[in-house]
Amino acid sequence: MATLTSPDLTPVAAALRGQKLPRWAPAALAALGVVLGIGASYGLYGELRTANAVVLSAVLYSAVQTAASFAVEGRRQAVDRLFTTFVYTAFLLAALPLVLILWYTIQRGYHVISGTFLGSSMFLVNPDNAGGGIYHAIAGTLQQTLLSALVAVPLGVLTALYLVEYGGRTRFGRLVSFFVDVMTGVPSIVAGIFVYAAWLIALGFQKSGLAGALALAILMLPIVVRATEEMLKLVPADLREASYALGVPKWRTILKVVLPTALPGIVTGVMLGVARVMGETAPLILLVGTNPKINLNPFSFSQVSANPQTALPTYIWDSFQQAAGNPTHPAAQRAWGAALVLIALIMLLNLVARTIARFARARG
Amino acid sequence: MTENPPSPGATIGAAGSAHVGASTLSGGPSLISGASVRRGDRVFRGLSVAASASVLAIMAAIAAFLVSEAIPALAKNDANFLTETKWFPDPSTPGGPVIFGIASLAIDTLVSSLVAMAVAVPVAIGIALFTAYYAPRRLARPLAYLVDLLAAVPSIVYGLWGFFFFKNHLGGLVLWLDRWFGWTGLFHYRPSALPGNQSLFTAGLVLAIMILPIISAISREVFVQVPRQNIEAALALGATRWEMVRISVLPFGRAGVTSASILGLGRALGETLAVALILTQVYDINLHITENGGITFASNIALKIGEAENTGTGALIASGLVLFVITLAVNSVAQLLIRRSNVEA
């Protein structure tokens, strides 16, 4: 073994492996690329333009590195390095907008948020003036998503139970499974206009929190089904068979063995589903509308007079229209404040859901 | 009649003792009543079948209600629904002409989604490969989660960001595209056009960001399922990492990536608010995609529902029906592709 690693064999190994660029080459070339990129930006425009400099640096870096690699290591290694650069760039291209969106939202939104903003409604506030808040919108969003979960979760869990425990392999089961997947792709505006056609036009009800919750339930249902199905499939068949062997009927096995085992995963899936629909705007614009007053009753769906709620997304939409494209308008600032609160709520739900999933995995 | 009342009570008692017997493991065979077991199973099975049927019922109800509410408006339309570009469904004077059609909606929806696909698909494949094979193993999960966070941003926030931030930073890119690719016509930015970047191009780029997570997440799922032997065989033959990806990963994942892209297309076609906030509403067909303008199926519904009267609402529902049918077809194709590739794998 010692002879294989001895220094006098290194030239042979090098000859077998071929020439390689030193390990520090990518870093050095990256530095060179940045310098050249900034230089080129000055050369072309006479000033530093960040976006241009970044793009130029990236292009120059990959060009120089590919050329160097081609000269030293050969064509195959050069292509490999070029592709590695592309893959890393692709990831940065995705991370960049996320950072920009979060940064911009926080920057525009954080100074709007205060106790008054979170604790008061827009009642008697002129939209063109500063002041007012989003209490009514937060309450509406929470009520509507909770209501939609109350509809979608039992339906979704039972459907998943059918697919996994009863008839997943039957013709009917395959049909349901197919349409659950297709339903995942139903645009939110279509769910909205469906409830609009069925609930508001055909049945003659007015806008209300419940109408929005119905549309959200349609959007949440396939998410809950898929998440529950995945979790139920993970429950070991041994557990079910042990229960059957003790003479426990199938429905009690499901209730007492299968569901408790899968419960943390199902809770995670439900919370992710809630987080998904919490940001849905389109159906709520059609079905919930806006109301400057605090309305804590999503069930006020009379046929005579509308008593709409407000949700955070519709509040943002409304404020955006009041601002009429002016970024310094008070309504625009309220829109950013509400957007920050909405993102924070959704991220919080995501975080809690994933923490539950992690704890459950660690325990099991 | 007098003997009937006690029997339900007796079965309830039997069911109760059955579960005591099962849970304490001490029950003899006589404690479990076959009838109660069958009844419990029948009820539970019935519930789950009903829930499953509700999925099919909802899809059927969507189609049925959209069709039934669209027909009266379509019957009143004085223009051709498929080729008309204008949208005046509510006549300004009683008895005036009713004119609406989906030509501009369809073209603009298609163009903005295609821009999104052209940008998002290559990048998403890159992201999927990065998180599956290139990123340091300990970082792969958190980095994939980071991309998934893009899906957690509400669409209205994408719209706000696109309107107040993103479009203001696109001026240089658009002029550059006009200078070097203006000859294609697509990127030709005519001097007469209003400045502002509230264009299908901008909307397409924002849509691209929005559909990145769905395409990359599904592609990644497929890429990590590539059999270990295929990868190691390629590496053992001396393949570089890119050659390994090209030889073993990409052919294996082709069907999955295709269906992921189609699902992304479906998402882009139906996206509403981000598009509605960015585009200026212009009801014509303009293939200079970097100029202001544009209206899509979804944004048209969101923007017009407030002012729509009887026929107007029906017309919007008709356009919603078209969008529903298109996305249904697109998603069905994607799902059939996924299913077929699973059978082969």
Side-chain angles (χ1 to χ4, degrees):
Chain A
M1 285 305 286
T3 49
L4 276 178
T5 54
S6 64
D8 56 326
L9 271 182
T10 315
V12 180
L16 279 175
R17 286 215 312 253
Q19 294 283 317
K20 294 273 286 176
L21 283 178
R23 289 184 70 106
W24 46 263
L29 289 172
L32 182 68
V34 170
V35 171
L36 284 177
I38 293 174
S41 174
Y42 271 110
L44 286 174
Y45 308 107
E47 58 172 337
L48 179 63
R49 296 190 184 177
T50 319
N52 287 325
V54 169
V55 172
L56 284 170
S57 304
V59 170
L60 286 169
Y61 163 68
S62 54
V64 171
Q65 192 191 45
T66 308
S69 173
F70 190 84
V72 178
E73 300 174 326
R75 192 187 59 83
R76 292 174 53 215
Q77 299 297 329
V79 172
D80 184 47
R81 282 185 189 271
L82 184 65
F83 196 75
T84 305
T85 313
F86 161 73
V87 166
Y88 275 79
T89 313
F91 178 75
L92 290 179
L93 274 179
L96 184 70
L98 179 68
V99 172
L100 282 177
I101 290 171
L102 293 182
W103 169 77
Y104 195 68
T105 309
I106 292 170
Q107 186 213 13
R108 294 297 304 272
Y110 83 95
H111 61 88
V112 183
I113 291 175
S114 63
T116 330
F117 187 68
L118 294 175
S120 55
S121 72
M122 292 298 291
F123 189 42
L124 297 179
V125 176
N126 183 342
D128 292 333
N129 295 340
I134 57 170
Y135 177 79
H136 57 316
I138 296 178
T141 284
L142 293 181
Q143 285 187 341
Q144 286 149 27
T145 43
L146 203 68
L147 208 54
S148 64
L150 285 181
V151 177
V153 171
L155 271 185
V157 171
L158 279 170
T159 305
L161 277 176
Y162 176 77
L163 292 178
V164 177
E165 304 289 333
Y166 289 102
R169 293 275 159 199
T170 61
R171 214 183 156 79
F172 178 69
R174 284 205 307 269
L175 194 70
V176 169
S177 172
F178 179 80
F179 271 102
V180 166
D181 279 335
V182 171
M183 210 172 168
T184 316
V186 168
S188 61
I189 189 95
V190 169
I193 197 114
F194 159 61
V195 177
Y196 194 94
W199 183 254
L200 265 63
I201 299 181
L203 295 177
F205 291 109
Q206 298 285 324
K207 289 182 178 183
S208 68
L210 178 71
L214 289 178
L216 295 184
I218 293 175
L219 299 171
M220 198 193 289
L221 180 60
I223 305 175
V224 174
V225 174
R226 276 288 161 258
T228 311
E229 207 186 338
E230 292 302 313
M231 288 304 133
L232 292 179
K233 280 182 185 161
L234 289 181
V235 175
D238 305 5
L239 281 183
R240 291 190 188 93
E241 281 158 14
S243 176
Y244 295 152
L246 293 172
V248 181
K250 185 163 188 170
W251 65 280
R252 287 196 65 81
T253 305
I254 292 172
L255 278 183
K256 295 285 175 184
V257 177
V258 177
L259 277 181
T261 314
L263 189 65
I266 296 175
V267 171
T268 304
V270 167
M271 290 180 78
L272 290 178
V274 169
R276 177 79 62 84
V277 300
M278 195 176 259
E280 284 296 350
T281 319
L284 300 184
I285 288 177
L286 270 53
L287 300 167
V288 177
T290 50
N291 181 354
K293 283 188 278 187
I294 297 171
N295 175 7
L296 296 182
N297 182 8
F299 293 104
S300 56
F301 46 97
S302 81
Q303 297 195 321
V304 191
S305 64
N307 185 16
Q309 287 192 307
T310 291
L312 278 169
T314 55
Y315 178 90
I316 299 172
W317 166 250
D318 204 32
S319 305
F320 175 80
Q321 295 199 314
Q322 287 162 359
N326 175 4
T328 53
H329 192 284
Q333 298 184 345
R334 281 194 293 266
W336 282 112
L340 182 56
V341 171
L342 182 59
I343 288 188
L345 275 176
I346 291 173
M347 298 280 171
L348 190 72
L349 264 177
N350 266 301
L351 208 66
V352 172
R354 282 175 201 265
T355 315
I356 291 176
R358 167 169 295 188
F359 269 108
R361 207 177 301 141
R363 200 188 55 192
Chain B
M1 283 303 286
T2 46
E3 281 179 7
N4 272 349
S7 59
T11 23
I12 290 167
S17 59
H19 87 249
V20 170
S23 56
T24 57
L25 307 185
S26 65
S30 63
L31 284 175
I32 298 175
S33 145
S36 79
V37 168
R38 276 198 300 276
R39 182 175 311 144
D41 266 338
R42 214 164 41 230
V43 168
F44 209 78
R45 191 191 165 90
L47 279 177
S48 69
V49 169
S52 306
S54 76
V55 171
L56 304 182
I58 289 172
M59 294 301 281
I62 293 178
F65 273 100
L66 292 186
V67 168
S68 77
E69 296 298 331
I71 284 175
L74 289 174
K76 281 187 209 151
N77 192 0
D78 294 321
N80 186 330
F81 181 62
L82 294 178
T83 57
E84 175 61 46
T85 58
K86 298 297 173 215
W87 194 268
F88 299 116
D90 294 310
S92 45
T93 53
V98 175
I99 292 170
F100 62 90
I102 57 167
S104 54
L105 307 182
I107 300 279
D108 288 357
T109 305
L110 194 67
V111 168
S112 58
S113 302
L114 287 182
V115 171
M117 293 286 284
V119 177
V121 170
V123 175
I125 294 175
I127 296 167
L129 287 174
F130 176 80
T131 47
Y133 292 108
Y134 280 78
R137 189 153 294 176
R138 266 148 45 98
L139 287 179
R141 276 262 151 220
L143 291 179
Y145 175 58
L146 200 68
V147 177
D148 286 345
L149 276 186
L150 275 176
V153 177
S155 69
I156 183 116
V157 177
Y158 276 106
L160 280 184
W161 179 77
F163 184 86
F164 284 117
F165 179 86
F166 189 57
K167 80 172 166 58
N168 302 333
H169 291 263
L170 278 178
L173 178 63
V174 165
L175 292 180
W176 184 83
L177 284 172
D178 176 41
R179 185 168 158 199
W180 297 105
F181 298 99
W183 51 270
T184 57
L186 278 184
F187 298 108
H188 182 44
Y189 189 84
R190 289 172 296 183
S192 61
L194 287 169
N197 282 320
Q198 295 186 273
S199 61
L200 291 174
F201 180 67
T202 313
L205 290 185
V206 173
L207 286 177
I209 302 171
M210 298 179 72
I211 63 175
L212 266 184
I214 180 171
I215 304 181
S216 70
I218 300 176
S219 303
R220 179 177 190 276
E221 287 303 309
V222 181
F223 287 158
V224 295
Q225 283 172 17
V226 176
R228 200 75 222 161
Q229 308 94 288
N230 295 17
I231 294 168
E232 281 169 6
L235 291 175
L237 289 171
T240 61
R241 195 147 48 163
W242 155 238
E243 285 164 345
M244 179 273 285
V245 165
R246 205 191 53 191
I247 295 167
S248 2
V249 177
L250 290 184
F252 184 90
R254 187 171 298 142
V257 171
T258 310
S259 50
S261 309
I262 300 176
L263 286 179
L265 175 66
R267 193 63 62 87
L269 289 171
E271 181 46 49
T272 313
L273 264 300
V275 178
L277 262 64
I278 290 169
L279 295 180
T280 56
Q281 309 168 45
V282 179
Y283 290 83
D284 62 1
I285 295 170
N286 180 4
L287 289 180
H288 301 276
I289 60 171
T290 53
E291 294 177 358
N292 274 10
I295 185 83
T296 66
F297 281 115
S299 65
N300 186 45
I301 295 173
L303 291 163
K304 290 287 182 187
I305 196 87
E307 62 192 48
E309 292 163 27
N310 257 340
T311 320
T313 311
L316 292 176
I317 290 173
S319 73
L321 177 64
V322 175
L323 178 61
F324 177 62
V325 170
I326 292 173
T327 49
L328 203 64
V330 165
N331 284 308
S332 301
V333 168
Q335 293 304 338
L336 288 175
L337 268 179
I338 290 181
R339 269 143 224 264
R340 188 178 302 167
S341 71
N342 277 357
V343 171
E344 278 174 10

